[in-house]
Amino acid sequence: MKPSNLLFILSDEHNKRVTGCYGHPMIRTPNFDRLAERGTRFTSAYTNCPICVPARASFATGRYVHEVRCWDNAIAYEGKPASWGHRLMEQGHHVASIGKLHYKASDPGKNGFSEEILPLHIVNGDGDLLGLIRDELPRRPGSARLGPEAGRGADVPRLSTSKVVRGPSLRRRTESGVVG
């Protein structure tokens, strides 16, 4: 099998409806648009947790938050259970991470990467302890207008990480979710 590259962009707090490649009439996102023209775009997305650190641990492992036991921004992923990066490295692939991971510490092999470039992890391995205690969130009236534009989302089945799916089989498997 010919080696290929996989680029996955995890964009925090980003709504697809405010990108050009998904048809927003005013907002221009030329870099996303160019990537979308040559890649695969999905019509739906799901997060196991609306909080950064547990969502990233859940995404890395393909497991629910209660299974990885990363409950909030104070408890970060430490390399177990194994992530998709671990599985790719076991098969001889070079797996690089660039930017924010929010894991426990910078330890590429333990985290499931061959290398971490400009990593951002939780502070001193302790996470956001003060963020656990806070006053009531401020009311933002403008946010209420974004709800109807974003929509309620869609129910998405849980994806299994029991095997790595490659090449054309991935496109066939996700055919119903591919746009364009």
Side-chain angles (χ1 to χ4, degrees):
M1 177 178 189
K2 182 181 172 188
S4 61
N5 294 320
L6 169 68
L7 174 65
F8 183 86
I9 298 174
L10 180 60
S11 176
D12 275 359
E13 301 178 26
H14 192 93
N15 184 325
K16 73 174 187 176
R17 294 178 191 222
V18 290
T19 57
C21 60
Y22 281 97
H24 196 283
M26 238 173 29
I27 296 177
R28 301 291 178 244
T29 52
N31 294 324
F32 277 156
D33 297 350
R34 278 192 298 277
L35 287 169
E37 284 175 16
R38 299 187 342 237
T40 301
R41 290 184 298 136
F42 296 92
T43 57
S44 300
Y46 172 80
T47 182
N48 278 311
C49 185
I51 303 170
C52 179
V53 172
R56 287 172 181 274
S58 182
F59 172 76
T61 62
R63 297 178 181 219
Y64 290 110
V65 172
H66 73 277
E67 293 175 327
V68 291
R69 304 187 66 77
C70 297
W71 304 108
D72 50 44
N73 284 343
I75 305 169
Y77 179 64
E78 297 185 68
K80 290 186 181 178
S83 70
W84 54 266
H86 290 105
R87 289 185 178 90
L88 288 171
M89 288 194 321
E90 287 169 4
Q91 296 189 16
H93 296 279
H94 180 85
V95 183
S97 168
I98 302 173
K100 182 179 178 179
L101 287 171
H102 264 183
Y103 291 176
K104 182 89 171 169
S106 189
D107 187 344
K110 185 177 179 181
N111 291 338
F113 298 100
S114 306
E115 66 176 316
E116 294 175 357
I117 303 166
L118 299 173
L120 174 64
H121 296 289
I122 62 172
V123 179
N124 300 322
D126 293 327
D128 183 14
L129 301 176
L130 293 177
L132 300 175
I133 304 169
R134 59 179 162 241
D135 295 329
E136 186 175 333
L137 294 173
R139 303 276 181 213
R140 294 188 175 107
S143 297
R145 292 189 303 271
L146 294 177
E149 180 181 339
R152 73 171 195 83
D155 295 330
V156 178
R158 180 177 179 200
L159 298 176
S160 170
T161 59
S162 60
K163 74 175 198 174
V164 176
V165 181
R166 294 188 183 93
S169 62
L170 178 61
R171 184 161 293 278
R172 281 194 302 275
R173 186 172 170 184
T174 60
E175 193 71 20
S176 64
V178 176
V179 177

